[in-house]
Amino acid sequence: MNLLLLTTLFLPLAGALLLGGDRNWARHGALAISLAVLGIAVVLVARYPGGTAPFASTDWPWLDWTAAPIDVRFSVALDGLSLWLFALTALLMVVAVLVGWEAIKDQASLYYRLLMALETGMLGVFVARDIILFYVFFEFTLIPLFFLIGIWGGRQRRWAAMKFFLFTLAGSVLTFLGLLAVVLWVYYHPAPEAASGRMTFSIAELTAALGARPMDPTMQIWIFLALFAGFAVKAPLWPLHTWLPLAHVEAPTAGSVLLAGVLLKVGVYGFVRFSLPMLPQAAAMLMPWLLWISLAGVIYGALVALAQSDIKRLIAYSSVSHLGFCTLGIFAANRLSVAGGVLQMVNHGLATGGLFAVVGMLYERFHTREIADFGGLARRFPRLAFFTLVLTLSSIALPGLAGFAGEFPLLVGVFQRGWAGDAAPHALQLRAIAVLSLVGVVLGAWYMLWMYQRVFFGPERTGDKNRGSGIGDRGSGYEALDISNPKSQIPHQQISGSLSPNPDPRIPNPDPHAAGPHHFPKGEGTMRDLSPREICCLTPLVAMIFWIGLQPGFFLDRMRPTLDDLIAPVTRACETASDSPPRPQSRGVFSLSTIHYPLPTIHYPLSTTHYPLPTTHYPLSTIHYPLSTSQ
Amino acid sequence: MHPEIALLNDFLLVGAALFGVGLIGFVSRRNMIVMFLSVEIMLQGVSLSLAAWGRFHNDFGGQALVLFIIAVAACEAAVALALILTLFHRRCSLDIAAWHFLREANQPPFRDAPLPEEPSERLEPWPHLPPAGARPEKFGEEDKYRPKV
Amino acid sequence: MFDVQTLLILIPALPLAAALATAALGTRLLRDRSHVPVVTALVLSFAASVLLVFQLQERIEERATQPGSSQSAGVEEVVARWSWINVPDAMPHPVDGRVETPGWGNFNIEVSLRADPLTAVMLAMVTCISALVAIYSIGYMRGDPGYWRFFAYVGLFVFSMTMLVSANNFLLLYVFWELVGLCSYLLIGFWYERPAAAAAGKKAFLVNRIGDVGFALGIFLIWTTFGTLDFGGVFQSVGQHAGDWRVTAICLLLLIGACGKSAQFPLHVWLPDAMEGPTPVSALIHAATMVTAGVYMVARCTPLFAAAPDAQYVVAVVGGVTALLGAIIAITQTDLKRILAYSTISHLGYMFVALGTGTLLGITAGMFHLITHAFFKALLFLGAGSVMHAAGGVIDIRRLGGLRRRMPVTYWTFLAGCLSIAGVVPLAGFWSKDAILLSLHDRSGLFGGGLFEILYLTTLLGVVLIDFYMFRPFFLVFHGKEKIPPEAGNHLHESPGSMTAPLVVLAFGSVVVGAYFEWTHGFAHFLSFTPSFECLAQSGHTAIGTADKWRVAAIGSVLTAVGVATAAMLYLGSGKAVARLARAMNVFGLYSLSYGKFFFDPIYNAFVVWPLLSVARLAAWFDCMAIDSLVDRCGRIPKLAGAALRPAQNGLVQFYALAMVFGVLVLLGIMLM
């Protein structure tokens, strides 16, 4: 029993139940709780010893009926995979509380209670060590977010909330079936020496049992697909992503931050935690398909983002693209790619969460999110421009920032999967995927920089055509405003004076009637650059981005032992597959149809206790290569 | 044919006939009380078959079950009649169709099929008397109403 | 006092510290004095670089006294400070019997710097030019609202560039490769309120990104082929992979990266647009330093290219095509800075040609040209900036004229630059150009290679064109009738001292640096101690006769004279001859082609940008109309199913009873069957 970890789970839950009073009380309470959780998370991270053993674990019996052999436990712990996601959640929660500090006015206490409930759910997903507990948290995250979107969202909030809820729920029901199938399979195929007759739900025990006695490959593929349904919707993988832009656009800022920062990771986390270690042969056999889907997400998400006119939608689609990168790395399943993929999850949470926060700040000021309504904001909002630039550059994987530290090992790993030696099965497809994934890198730079250019660069144009007060109101309130803008402290006339003779016409001519601080709406305090609260909001994200970018080894070293353990079965499965004699000779043929998976041929009823366990006879060796010359 | 089987045959035939009569009554009538009676008739048909089978197998189970059914039917009658009474109070009608609005939404309402127009047997009063002092115009309808007069 | 390691760390650390200080204090404390930390740091960095060169020179002399097995052993020095990522056993051992390098598959990326002659030369050049440009910018950028920002960016750039040239593994090279791209992006878009500047910055970043993707793929392939990313490990084991298609592929992919950064055909389109940035930036980044990173990289990877002769041919051809292309376009441009930009493209092409010869002679010639080019091109750009500064920002050579008397310092220094770039005899450009021509001549004779014969002739043609296109703007701007644009006001005068002093220094350098290196034979000798070039020294090349040298020098000089004379004839006289010539050339469409820059931008827009944007819009439409509507349709399935079953619930008890009866009948039927 570890009190620290339990506190992080139950403190927000207590907050969700007890927070109340007026808005001020509620938001301060929520901030205090989230800060406390963040503090504990930092302590846990600092104390994390590395290695593969679960850390800070608590294990209580939970549902332990004497009648049935069910042994569901309340079992939580941290390990290398969950450590950084856990810390990321705690950090983003503070950001989420701060980001809606002023914007949320109606039913504020309910809002903060839901946020706290969401925090419990999100933290719980990452620390749960029991399948049922995991699933409970997994589903529990839906409910607060459903209300957050449905009550405080945009115009189509009801529709968005419902679609988000139903879509993810539909997928995760299948996931639940898949998880139960794993449990039952292990229950009905006990190891001969351990005939305890207990139906275990412990993730570690199940993984170990399946490692010792692997499931029949056909069965593995079916269960893999069942798990895939829920995790892929959650991640979201192409083409199951369409709930995401809608939910993001309609959600309140905090909802978007958490959705992008944490909840999308839950799906990918599920792949690493369950799909890969429990069903390694399925992962190995389906690898080209999974990688193609991820690649489709990468390129498709980037292309669609390129065509967006709404900043929030653009960033939402960029999430599809980036999560495609994460799953690309994870399904490639080697040391570098999985480490990079998991790190990339954290990086995406920081960068995209920050970008959503920035969009929220813009929206609070201008009440619009259309890119066309903005222009030249860098002049009056230099701090916002700076933070956004760092987040944008991290998002397009500029070296030195976090995005690169995740993306580069990831891509090296994916490339290695196809190009290291000729022995890899489906080598040609994997090679093509590795090369094509870089197209996403170029497109990513294009849409992000284009967005940045249109919003922050160019002649000043502070949108807000809907309200009409932004531009029309000139000549008043200029002196009183924009104290926080360092550049505007230089008096206007002084700039003009020193520019004579103008050294270069490319220096924008400070025409007082064309552009400049005169455009401040009268008395509108929010038309300033970032407030201290907002800077507090973005600074930790940017600091983390720099830290991860400059010292990714610190983060990777703590997660790698666990990750290596988790993907070891897949690596073995891939090696077995590549050792099988009929190697693909048809290297010149680029076709998915050259591989026949024996998918719908064998039926194993779950209740049969005698399976012909195929330990040596492994169906990858039965792959038919019609064009192979060796046959 | 063995006489026992012949006997069973007869009983079963009567039971089936009772059941059929009850069924048709239930489906075709709209008066709730009559429908209830039809249900009772079906029940009796089943009871008769049970008793016959009990005798055929030389087993008291069938007759015991019949007694049980009678008891249940009594309870059922109490409940059903109370229900019917309540329904009657609500609608002042024993027509089951009065409750068809409990159907699923968006479904077309039930309408009584229009009854065919009955040929009118009644003749119009005749003769048409002209006002006093005026001469009857024409007795053109005489042929129609009193052809034999 | 300072050993090599300390110097190696100090050189990038000083600009970084200055940049951070300026960024932190620029708005409040420094303001108009924002240049102080950066200029100080750059000057100190330059001093450190010179010290580094001297220390390496000492080592080389020590080596000369004690001959050993390896020529360059003991000259280089590597400093590793911290491990960026360390994933041991990241890659399984090769199964196909390929040779493993020691440490195979350990993904251990250290932030490690190396000092060897190649790096030292680059460091000295970069810090020297950047210090001069920073001093120049004090005057040029004075009064700009983003004064502190400018110097912070410059500091960041010099840090990145010095790290780039001293990186010791491919990943670190890539990291700073991208970071100099970022600085370029920020500095091109320095005046971000101008849409053209912002768009040019984005374009530069994206075109560079395309090159970077090639570079990244090259790095991935290096990783899977050699199992390491350290220069040392890769270059040592490359000999065992001779003839492997992977090495050729690696070289070609690296070449794509180099093409992006060094603005080589077909990725040269960003450089002319990059002239939207402040002129000192154009001089520093887009003429002297950053764009030569591609040349540096190819030179650094010489062992790889030496193992892939096919790739070397490609390098040479790309260089030749670019050299000619840039020169032809530069002839007809009217924007002085764009003329210089195309000239830069063309000269970088010369360097690539020289590298493509694959001989020590060629590679040292290319590096030699890189150094001299940095001096005279920075000089020319800064001179152009001086003209702009005086002329109120006008840079169109048709609107300027006869500035000779108004701006004497600028005039004379610009003349020195022009003469140097044209390759007039004792000036720097002559020696390096001559070295390139000589290496091509040498190579074309070696294997009877038709390819290098053609490239030789191409470069000779290029020499004429260079003289012509450089003296054309020179004559137009400084000679002839005095034309002063109205933007300049009536007080067109020479630039302040902080701007003219760097001009004079650079002019001095442009005049003497070539002759100094050539007469002392110091440059090639110094460079030949670079470990990367060992493979060349071993392969050997025929000694070049003195007659060859004289012949090449004579041909080059004659062609130079022809070019200058043509320009003088056309542009010192009336404009009629020019117009006639332009008309005559336009018969073949040459003039339009040159004036329209070979229409690369419209072609790329039509065949790359527009299709991609269309596909993007199509994808967005598809997402909305196909995938999402499919999802929504799936969401309607329960509703439709409900609607289908709804009539059963019609509220008629008799109907239900009948349904029950039929149900019972069906069950009965099933049971009886």
Side-chain angles (χ1 to χ4, degrees), chain B residues 27-41:
Chain B
V27 171
S28 59
R29 300 302 296 266
R30 275 163 59 174
N31 188 311
M32 283 191 273
I33 291 181
V34 178
M35 287 166 76
F36 173 69
L37 291 180
S38 306
V39 171
E40 290 294 319
I41 292 171

PDB file of all heavy atoms in Angstrom, chain B residues 27-41:
ATOM      1  N   VAL B  27     -59.741 -12.886 -30.137  1.00  0.00           N
ATOM      2  CA  VAL B  27     -59.169 -12.092 -31.208  1.00  0.00           C
ATOM      3  C   VAL B  27     -60.213 -11.227 -31.884  1.00  0.00           C
ATOM      4  O   VAL B  27     -59.935 -10.114 -32.326  1.00  0.00           O
ATOM      5  CB  VAL B  27     -58.455 -13.009 -32.210  1.00  0.00           C
ATOM      6  CG1 VAL B  27     -58.041 -12.247 -33.442  1.00  0.00           C
ATOM      7  CG2 VAL B  27     -57.242 -13.623 -31.557  1.00  0.00           C
ATOM      8  N   SER B  28     -61.434 -11.725 -31.941  1.00  0.00           N
ATOM      9  CA  SER B  28     -62.398 -11.011 -32.772  1.00  0.00           C
ATOM     10  C   SER B  28     -63.282 -10.060 -31.985  1.00  0.00           C
ATOM     11  O   SER B  28     -63.859  -9.155 -32.571  1.00  0.00           O
ATOM     12  CB  SER B  28     -63.267 -12.018 -33.531  1.00  0.00           C
ATOM     13  OG  SER B  28     -63.928 -12.826 -32.595  1.00  0.00           O
ATOM     14  N   ARG B  29     -63.422 -10.213 -30.715  1.00  0.00           N
ATOM     15  CA  ARG B  29     -64.332  -9.346 -29.967  1.00  0.00           C
ATOM     16  C   ARG B  29     -63.589  -8.174 -29.380  1.00  0.00           C
ATOM     17  O   ARG B  29     -62.394  -8.238 -29.113  1.00  0.00           O
ATOM     18  CB  ARG B  29     -65.011 -10.146 -28.835  1.00  0.00           C
ATOM     19  CG  ARG B  29     -65.815 -11.320 -29.335  1.00  0.00           C
ATOM     20  CD  ARG B  29     -66.899 -10.886 -30.308  1.00  0.00           C
ATOM     21  NE  ARG B  29     -67.885 -10.055 -29.696  1.00  0.00           N
ATOM     22  CZ  ARG B  29     -69.028 -10.500 -29.186  1.00  0.00           C
ATOM     23  NH1 ARG B  29     -69.325 -11.785 -29.250  1.00  0.00           N
ATOM     24  NH2 ARG B  29     -69.884  -9.668 -28.639  1.00  0.00           N
ATOM     25  N   ARG B  30     -64.347  -7.071 -29.162  1.00  0.00           N
ATOM     26  CA  ARG B  30     -63.701  -5.888 -28.629  1.00  0.00           C
ATOM     27  C   ARG B  30     -64.197  -5.538 -27.243  1.00  0.00           C
ATOM     28  O   ARG B  30     -63.600  -4.694 -26.580  1.00  0.00           O
ATOM     29  CB  ARG B  30     -63.953  -4.706 -29.556  1.00  0.00           C
ATOM     30  CG  ARG B  30     -62.943  -4.673 -30.680  1.00  0.00           C
ATOM     31  CD  ARG B  30     -63.383  -3.793 -31.799  1.00  0.00           C
ATOM     32  NE  ARG B  30     -63.591  -2.430 -31.365  1.00  0.00           N
ATOM     33  CZ  ARG B  30     -63.866  -1.428 -32.186  1.00  0.00           C
ATOM     34  NH1 ARG B  30     -63.928  -1.661 -33.487  1.00  0.00           N
ATOM     35  NH2 ARG B  30     -64.076  -0.235 -31.728  1.00  0.00           N
ATOM     36  N   ASN B  31     -65.245  -6.171 -26.833  1.00  0.00           N
ATOM     37  CA  ASN B  31     -65.736  -5.921 -25.500  1.00  0.00           C
ATOM     38  C   ASN B  31     -64.829  -6.618 -24.502  1.00  0.00           C
ATOM     39  O   ASN B  31     -64.557  -7.809 -24.623  1.00  0.00           O
ATOM     40  CB  ASN B  31     -67.160  -6.464 -25.374  1.00  0.00           C
ATOM     41  CG  ASN B  31     -67.776  -6.052 -24.063  1.00  0.00           C
ATOM     42  OD1 ASN B  31     -67.144  -6.210 -23.022  1.00  0.00           O
ATOM     43  ND2 ASN B  31     -68.985  -5.523 -24.119  1.00  0.00           N
ATOM     44  N   MET B  32     -64.348  -5.876 -23.514  1.00  0.00           N
ATOM     45  CA  MET B  32     -63.338  -6.434 -22.627  1.00  0.00           C
ATOM     46  C   MET B  32     -63.868  -7.607 -21.837  1.00  0.00           C
ATOM     47  O   MET B  32     -63.152  -8.575 -21.586  1.00  0.00           O
ATOM     48  CB  MET B  32     -62.803  -5.346 -21.699  1.00  0.00           C
ATOM     49  CG  MET B  32     -61.828  -4.434 -22.407  1.00  0.00           C
ATOM     50  SD  MET B  32     -60.953  -3.375 -21.291  1.00  0.00           S
ATOM     51  CE  MET B  32     -62.054  -2.018 -21.170  1.00  0.00           C
ATOM     52  N   ILE B  33     -65.107  -7.517 -21.437  1.00  0.00           N
ATOM     53  CA  ILE B  33     -65.656  -8.620 -20.639  1.00  0.00           C
ATOM     54  C   ILE B  33     -65.767  -9.870 -21.498  1.00  0.00           C
ATOM     55  O   ILE B  33     -65.407 -10.972 -21.065  1.00  0.00           O
ATOM     56  CB  ILE B  33     -67.014  -8.214 -20.040  1.00  0.00           C
ATOM     57  CG1 ILE B  33     -66.713  -7.133 -18.994  1.00  0.00           C
ATOM     58  CG2 ILE B  33     -67.714  -9.395 -19.416  1.00  0.00           C
ATOM     59  CD1 ILE B  33     -67.922  -6.622 -18.291  1.00  0.00           C
ATOM     60  N   VAL B  34     -66.200  -9.681 -22.733  1.00  0.00           N
ATOM     61  CA  VAL B  34     -66.305 -10.850 -23.606  1.00  0.00           C
ATOM     62  C   VAL B  34     -64.912 -11.417 -23.868  1.00  0.00           C
ATOM     63  O   VAL B  34     -64.727 -12.638 -23.889  1.00  0.00           O
ATOM     64  CB  VAL B  34     -67.003 -10.451 -24.926  1.00  0.00           C
ATOM     65  CG1 VAL B  34     -67.063 -11.643 -25.852  1.00  0.00           C
ATOM     66  CG2 VAL B  34     -68.378  -9.938 -24.622  1.00  0.00           C
ATOM     67  N   MET B  35     -63.958 -10.543 -24.022  1.00  0.00           N
ATOM     68  CA  MET B  35     -62.597 -11.043 -24.227  1.00  0.00           C
ATOM     69  C   MET B  35     -62.142 -11.830 -23.020  1.00  0.00           C
ATOM     70  O   MET B  35     -61.514 -12.890 -23.149  1.00  0.00           O
ATOM     71  CB  MET B  35     -61.636  -9.877 -24.473  1.00  0.00           C
ATOM     72  CG  MET B  35     -61.785  -9.247 -25.835  1.00  0.00           C
ATOM     73  SD  MET B  35     -60.953  -7.667 -25.928  1.00  0.00           S
ATOM     74  CE  MET B  35     -59.278  -8.227 -26.056  1.00  0.00           C
ATOM     75  N   PHE B  36     -62.480 -11.336 -21.858  1.00  0.00           N
ATOM     76  CA  PHE B  36     -62.107 -12.053 -20.645  1.00  0.00           C
ATOM     77  C   PHE B  36     -62.769 -13.423 -20.608  1.00  0.00           C
ATOM     78  O   PHE B  36     -62.133 -14.428 -20.289  1.00  0.00           O
ATOM     79  CB  PHE B  36     -62.499 -11.207 -19.434  1.00  0.00           C
ATOM     80  CG  PHE B  36     -62.315 -11.932 -18.142  1.00  0.00           C
ATOM     81  CD1 PHE B  36     -61.032 -12.235 -17.690  1.00  0.00           C
ATOM     82  CD2 PHE B  36     -63.405 -12.334 -17.382  1.00  0.00           C
ATOM     83  CE1 PHE B  36     -60.859 -12.911 -16.514  1.00  0.00           C
ATOM     84  CE2 PHE B  36     -63.216 -13.021 -16.204  1.00  0.00           C
ATOM     85  CZ  PHE B  36     -61.936 -13.305 -15.768  1.00  0.00           C
ATOM     86  N   LEU B  37     -64.026 -13.432 -20.970  1.00  0.00           N
ATOM     87  CA  LEU B  37     -64.723 -14.718 -20.993  1.00  0.00           C
ATOM     88  C   LEU B  37     -64.059 -15.662 -21.982  1.00  0.00           C
ATOM     89  O   LEU B  37     -63.902 -16.858 -21.711  1.00  0.00           O
ATOM     90  CB  LEU B  37     -66.186 -14.497 -21.374  1.00  0.00           C
ATOM     91  CG  LEU B  37     -66.999 -13.765 -20.297  1.00  0.00           C
ATOM     92  CD1 LEU B  37     -68.436 -13.587 -20.777  1.00  0.00           C
ATOM     93  CD2 LEU B  37     -66.987 -14.542 -19.003  1.00  0.00           C
ATOM     94  N   SER B  38     -63.647 -15.140 -23.103  1.00  0.00           N
ATOM     95  CA  SER B  38     -62.983 -15.985 -24.092  1.00  0.00           C
ATOM     96  C   SER B  38     -61.721 -16.595 -23.517  1.00  0.00           C
ATOM     97  O   SER B  38     -61.431 -17.776 -23.736  1.00  0.00           O
ATOM     98  CB  SER B  38     -62.619 -15.160 -25.334  1.00  0.00           C
ATOM     99  OG  SER B  38     -63.761 -14.508 -25.809  1.00  0.00           O
ATOM    100  N   VAL B  39     -60.998 -15.770 -22.771  1.00  0.00           N
ATOM    101  CA  VAL B  39     -59.780 -16.298 -22.141  1.00  0.00           C
ATOM    102  C   VAL B  39     -60.140 -17.436 -21.211  1.00  0.00           C
ATOM    103  O   VAL B  39     -59.480 -18.488 -21.193  1.00  0.00           O
ATOM    104  CB  VAL B  39     -59.059 -15.174 -21.384  1.00  0.00           C
ATOM    105  CG1 VAL B  39     -57.940 -15.746 -20.546  1.00  0.00           C
ATOM    106  CG2 VAL B  39     -58.520 -14.156 -22.352  1.00  0.00           C
ATOM    107  N   GLU B  40     -61.219 -17.251 -20.452  1.00  0.00           N
ATOM    108  CA  GLU B  40     -61.630 -18.313 -19.529  1.00  0.00           C
ATOM    109  C   GLU B  40     -61.962 -19.582 -20.291  1.00  0.00           C
ATOM    110  O   GLU B  40     -61.603 -20.677 -19.879  1.00  0.00           O
ATOM    111  CB  GLU B  40     -62.855 -17.844 -18.721  1.00  0.00           C
ATOM    112  CG  GLU B  40     -62.519 -16.754 -17.722  1.00  0.00           C
ATOM    113  CD  GLU B  40     -61.602 -17.263 -16.612  1.00  0.00           C
ATOM    114  OE1 GLU B  40     -61.807 -18.391 -16.140  1.00  0.00           O
ATOM    115  OE2 GLU B  40     -60.642 -16.527 -16.260  1.00  0.00           O
ATOM    116  N   ILE B  41     -62.618 -19.430 -21.426  1.00  0.00           N
ATOM    117  CA  ILE B  41     -62.976 -20.604 -22.205  1.00  0.00           C
ATOM    118  C   ILE B  41     -61.726 -21.326 -22.672  1.00  0.00           C
ATOM    119  O   ILE B  41     -61.618 -22.554 -22.614  1.00  0.00           O
ATOM    120  CB  ILE B  41     -63.861 -20.209 -23.406  1.00  0.00           C
ATOM    121  CG1 ILE B  41     -65.213 -19.737 -22.885  1.00  0.00           C
ATOM    122  CG2 ILE B  41     -64.057 -21.383 -24.347  1.00  0.00           C
ATOM    123  CD1 ILE B  41     -66.078 -19.131 -23.951  1.00  0.00           C
TER     124      ILE B  41
END
